[in-house]
Each structure stands twice: as structure tokens, then as C-alpha cells.
Amino acid sequence: MHRMIRNMVTRLTTITNEARLSGRTTSKGQPVLRRGGNLFGKSLAIAASLLAGNLLCSDASAQGYPGQGVSFANYDLAASGFVTPAGMPPVGSPQMMGMMASPVVPVGYSDCGCATGGCDSGMCPSGGCDGLPMQACMDRMVCGTCGGGGGCGCNSFLGGGGILGKLRNGGSACLFCRGSGCTACRELPFGYAGSCLAAAIGFLRPYEEASLCNQRWYDLSAEALVLKRNLGGAVPDVITTSGVSGTPVLTLGDVGSDDLEAGVRLSAAMIWGVGGNIEATYMGGNEWSGTGSATSATPNLYSFISDFGTNPPASALGANDAGFDDTDRSLSQSLVANSAFHSAEINYRRRTMFPYCRFQSSWLFGLRYIRYNDSLRYSTLGDNTNTGANNGLRFFNSETSSRNSLFGPQAGFDFWWNTYPGVSIGFGAKGAWMQNEVDRSTRITANSLGFGATPGGASLNDGDQDSTVMADFELKAVYRFSHSLAFRSSYYVMTVQDVIFGGLDGASARSILQNSTLSRPFVYDDLVLQGFTLGAEYTW
């Protein structure tokens, strides 16, 4: 077809040249071929050349051969009118999708070969072949139009090079289309399903239009916050042993001190000057609850309150009266622990971009409030009382709860590495000096607390103040799917010094059992929360 059209164009050009060389005029002084004929011949030659180029591109693509294109070097297309008018996007560009096709294109835009200005050479604008990730699934021939390796980014997620690359690009390994690397080869190893799979994966590519120089920003953020906490305070790790100073059978770990519980982290930002913003963040809603117990067929369980039956010791060698009647020589002992965490902060953040846009960072300062509640209930149940009437089982119950309210100024920073447009990893840290307002409640009931060693109880409500510090650290990553939506995840850890936990210390419990008086010191310990987050960011 190309040869036939080329011959036609050559013949027309020859006729025009012969007429020009002859230069003969008729008796009336008119040229043999008018000037209009010359313009007609030139226009026809240009139209025939463009038609030949399009036919060859289509035929080559339809047969699975890489298009060869048509060279327009010998034609002045700008003078002939084949240029894009001002303000009109080129045919085939994303702006023209869904619009009526236009007969005008920029010079060289319709060239078929990737190697001479196609997608693989980077000449296609953003949003061309690579901007339509499902095109490979909708039209199987799309990967055959740009030649080599799937062309235009088609099926690029299936890998390349090696045997797979040879199968796609043609060569001795290709069994189809005379070894030229047709669509069937380029879609290996999964054929049509592979094209659809690769196109679907293409939807997960990061949003790249903002480039590496996009300053970190979001308007709203919502994440699942999954944390575990430690249990501390005055209560030891071992609660109960089987026998005097025997084998531990009940510990704090039995009530789920390492359990992960879910909460939320919500954040909103508002621009406040160039490179600055006001951020408000709530994190928390995590509630931990756990139970643990130990039982024995005989009254042989001993408590931490008596140092596991050694304080007070047995009255005589071989006597079965070690420890206290209410907390030791028990048939069962149990623990119930509950905790809750909340945090709210408001900060001013200032961002900066490093040279070449590979790194960026920010600093912040603001105010923070933290609330941590913790409670622990400890119960024992023993044999009948030692009275002659055997009028009931010995028992001991203590329930202590504390509420820590911390408030103070904080400062922090973060640092980001822009690994790829739309993909960033970084870390950040904050520190705060805080005032801790503590409210505590203690309630105890036992078989021997009443008058004359009868059942009774005691309660105490008190509070304290203490200055403390808080620090948190975060290792985080952001993957941007579109202009508006990004995925974010992080590892998070926070520690707060000088927190009051629930639980009754052994010395205070012994004082209650021996003197029937309830007086407790404040025993501070460190709180550690750590876990991970998963969520999304939204940008208007």
C-alpha cells in the first residue's frame, strides 16, 4: 500500500516538474499548467503521505508488528496548516478524551514508533498510554502498538528482561508472528488475564503529578491506632504462688498486659501562613481489660501481701497458719485489670523543603493533654473460718483505681525522605513537660476487718500532684494514591514518667490487716504505650 501511494505521489510530482520546465505558453499567453495546479499537486502529495503514514501505523499495529512511522522531514507542515491551533490540546491527549476528534495535530505527534518519540522514550505527555492503566485490558492490541517490552508501560508490573523479556520483545524464543514479538508474546505469562491483572495493579501506582517537590500536606487524617500498655506501680509481677514461696501460678501478665487494643487517631490541619499550619489531633479510645485466676483443690495458695506466706511466718514448725487468714491458704485467687488512654493536642507546625526536594522536615510547638486511667481488683477466697462455728469462707477483696490527668507544653519535629513522587518515609518525635494531677480511690473488704475480726471494709479517696515529662517517637510512611487520597502507616511508641497505676502495695495491705487502718503512699512508675497505625489522609 505504501509503495503504491508513494508511486502515485512521485508521478504527480514529476508531472508538475515537467510542466514547470517546459514553460511553453499558448497563443493566448496562458501557461500549460496553472499555479493552482501546483498547489493542488503539493496538497495532494502531503495528504497522500499522511494517509500512508496512518495506514502503515494501523496495519503494523493490527498485525502485531511495531509501527515504523513516516518521516515528515521534507514537508513544511507548519506552512500547510497541519499544526495545533492555539489553546487546542493535541489529538489523543488526556484533555481530548471523550471529545470529538480533531484533524489537526502537532508535527510528529502521530509517529507510531516508541523509539522515535513514543511513550517508552518519555515523549508522551503525562496521562498518555501510561495514564490509562486499564487500556491493556480493554484493548489487547494496545501493547502491540509501541513495540518492545510491552510498550508504553503496558504490563510493566509483570517484570522484564531475561526469558520473559525475550518472549515479549520477540526473537528466537517467540513462537508467534514470525518471532517479531506480537501481542500474544507480550502478554505472557498470563495472556489476556495477565493484561487485566497488570492493568489493575497499575491503578495502585502512586500519584506522581505533584513530583518530589510536593510539600507534605493533608487536610484530614483518620487512622486505626493499635497499642499495648505495660502494667506497673507498687504491685509486683508475681501475685500468687502454690505453697509457701512456691511456684508462681498468677502474675500480672495473666491479665493481658501485652494485649493489643484498637483506638483511633484523628487529625485536621489548617494553613496558617506560608509553609505553616495549625494541627489539632486526638488519639486514644484504647481500652484494655483482662482477667486472670488461679485455683487449688486444697487451701494452698499464698499471696504477695504476706510475701507468699513468709510475713508473718508460721507460728510453729509444721503449723498450717503461715501468712494471713484472709489472703493466704486460699482455694482461689484472681485479678481484674482495666485501663484507658486518651490524648489531645494542638500545635503550630512549620515545614521546609531541602535542596533538590529529596528531603523535607518540620518543627512544631503546642499544648497537649493526656488522660490515663488504670484500675486493678484483687480477690481471694479461702477455707472456712477458724471459729468453731465455721460461719463462712475467708475472703479478701481490694479494688484500687487511679486517674492521671497530664497537661503541658510540647515541641517536636519530623523528617521525611521523598523516595519517589507520591511515596515518602520518615520519622518524628515530640517531647513535653507536664503537670500530673492524680486522683485515686481505694476500697477494701475482708473477712477480718470488722470489730472483733469480723467481716468489714475500709475506703480511701486521695490525690497528688507531680511534674513529669512525656516523649513519643514515630516511624511512618505515606503512599499517595491520588491528589486527594493517601495511605499512611506508622510504628508508634510513647512513654510518660511518674504515672500512678491501680493496685495495692503489700505494705499498705499488711497495715490494713494488722491494724485496721488504711494509709497508702503514692508509688509512681513509668507508662509505656507502643503499637502501630493504619489509615488514610484526605486533601481538598
Side-chain angles (χ1 to χ4, degrees):
M1 174 66 73
H2 176 262
R3 184 174 300 171
M4 180 181 68
I5 296 176
R6 183 180 60 190
N7 292 337
M8 293 171 58
V9 174
T10 303
R11 179 60 179 164
L12 288 172
T13 306
T14 302
I15 294 174
T16 303
N17 293 335
E18 290 176 353
R20 183 183 303 149
L21 291 174
S22 63
R24 298 291 185 266
T25 59
T26 64
S27 59
K28 295 182 180 180
Q30 298 297 325
V32 175
L33 293 176
R34 297 180 183 276
R35 183 174 300 175
N38 294 336
L39 294 177
F40 173 79
K42 289 182 179 180
S43 300
L44 182 58
I46 294 171
S49 299
L50 289 176
L51 177 60
N54 290 334
L55 289 174
L56 283 177
C57 290
S58 300
D59 290 344
S61 300
Q63 298 176 29
Y65 294 97
Q68 301 301 320
V70 175
S71 175
F72 298 136
N74 297 326
Y75 298 100
D76 187 1
L77 295 183
S80 66
F82 286 88
V83 295
T84 302
M88 175 176 286
V91 174
S93 66
Q95 296 91 333
M96 289 293 292
M97 296 303 294
M99 298 174 60
M100 184 66 69
S102 172
V104 290
V105 294
V107 175
Y109 184 84
S110 294
D111 195 359
C112 296
C114 283
T116 56
C119 300
D120 289 344
S121 63
M123 298 301 293
C124 283
S126 176
C129 294
D130 294 336
L132 298 173
M134 288 304 291
Q135 185 68 25
C137 188
M138 294 183 290
D139 181 4
R140 295 186 62 185
M141 299 307 297
V142 70
C143 289
T145 60
C146 285
C152 301
C154 300
N155 290 353
S156 59
F157 277 89
L158 297 180
I163 296 177
L164 185 57
K166 291 180 179 179
L167 289 174
R168 286 184 181 158
N169 300 333
S172 59
C174 185
L175 303 179
F176 306 95
C177 302
R178 303 174 186 174
S180 62
C182 60
T183 303
C185 295
R186 296 192 182 101
E187 290 181 353
L188 290 175
F190 305 115
Y192 180 65
S195 286
C196 294
L197 175 62
I201 295 176
F203 274 125
L204 300 179
R205 290 180 299 182
Y207 177 78
E208 304 173 7
E209 293 185 14
S211 77
L212 285 175
C213 297
N214 177 42
Q215 194 174 62
R216 174 96 175 98
W217 173 255
Y218 65 91
D219 292 291
L220 298 173
S221 172
E223 299 170 88
L225 175 68
V226 183
L227 298 174
K228 69 177 182 178
R229 93 298 196 197
N230 68 306
L231 292 175
V235 180
D237 182 63
V238 177
I239 303 298
T240 305
T241 62
S242 178
V244 176
S245 297
T247 303
V249 293
L250 181 63
T251 67
L252 281 179
D254 295 330
V255 295
S257 60
D258 292 329
D259 287 350
L260 291 169
E261 295 294 338
V264 297
R265 179 164 65 177
L266 305 174
S267 182
M270 179 181 66
I271 295 177
W272 194 269
V274 177
N277 61 272
I278 300 295
E279 292 180 357
T281 302
Y282 166 80
M283 57 186 298
N286 307 77
E287 296 183 352
W288 298 268
S289 179
T291 61
S293 63
T295 59
S296 176
T298 60
N300 196 39
L301 300 178
Y302 290 83
S303 169
F304 74 96
I305 294 176
S306 66
D307 291 333
F308 311 110
T310 61
N311 185 18
S315 59
L317 185 63
N320 189 22
D321 59 354
F324 296 98
D325 287 344
D326 297 341
T327 61
D328 300 286
R329 305 186 300 278
S330 304
L331 295 172
S332 68
Q333 298 198 9
S334 63
L335 283 176
V336 178
N338 293 282
S339 304
F341 166 72
H342 304 275
S343 172
E345 57 186 294
I346 184 168
N347 302 293
Y348 171 78
R349 184 186 294 272
R350 181 80 174 186
R351 301 187 185 274
T352 184
M353 181 71 70
F354 283 64
Y356 309 110
C357 303
R358 183 60 68 178
F359 303 100
Q360 61 176 296
S361 66
S362 71
W363 52 265
L364 63 84
F365 66 89
L367 298 172
R368 187 164 190 171
Y369 171 80
I370 296 175
R371 171 88 169 264
Y372 185 74
N373 298 338
D374 191 72
S375 67
L376 185 68
R377 185 170 71 238
Y378 172 59
S379 302
T380 70
L381 186 64
D383 205 349
N384 289 331
T385 63
N386 293 329
T387 62
N390 290 329
N391 57 357
L393 299 178
R394 298 192 297 269
F395 67 92
F396 177 88
N397 295 310
S398 69
E399 183 169 6
T400 59
S401 61
S402 62
R403 183 178 67 184
N404 299 269
S405 300
L406 301 100
F407 180 76
Q410 75 170 359
F413 74 96
D414 67 6
F415 184 86
W416 290 90
W417 175 27
N418 303 322
T419 60
Y420 186 81
V423 181
S424 301
I425 59 175
F427 64 90
K430 300 173 187 174
W433 177 87
M434 314 187 85
Q435 182 79 13
N436 188 6
E437 297 280 346
V438 180
D439 293 315
R440 187 176 63 176
S441 174
T442 306
R443 178 173 175 79
I444 298 175
T445 59
N447 182 66
S448 305
L449 283 185
F451 180 78
T454 57
S459 62
L460 175 67
N461 295 311
D462 54 1
D464 194 24
Q465 289 185 351
D466 187 45
S467 297
T468 184
V469 294
M470 180 281 306
D472 68 12
F473 174 82
E474 191 172 10
L475 183 64
K476 45 195 175 180
V478 173
Y479 190 98
R480 194 170 180 182
F481 288 115
S482 67
H483 168 78
S484 298
L485 188 63
F487 168 80
R488 64 181 289 173
S489 181
S490 69
Y491 165 76
Y492 181 82
V493 59
M494 182 181 74
T495 180
V496 183
Q497 290 186 344
D498 296 339
V499 170
I500 295 294
F501 291 85
L504 185 65
D505 62 286
S508 298
R510 286 191 293 272
S511 175
I512 295 171
L513 292 172
Q514 292 173 336
N515 305 316
S516 298
T517 58
L518 182 56
S519 177
R520 299 186 58 197
F522 286 89
V523 181
Y524 289 90
D525 205 348
D526 296 339
L527 169 67
V528 178
L529 303 175
Q530 61 178 321
F532 63 92
T533 69
L534 292 171
E537 295 177 350
Y538 177 76
T539 303
W540 278 306

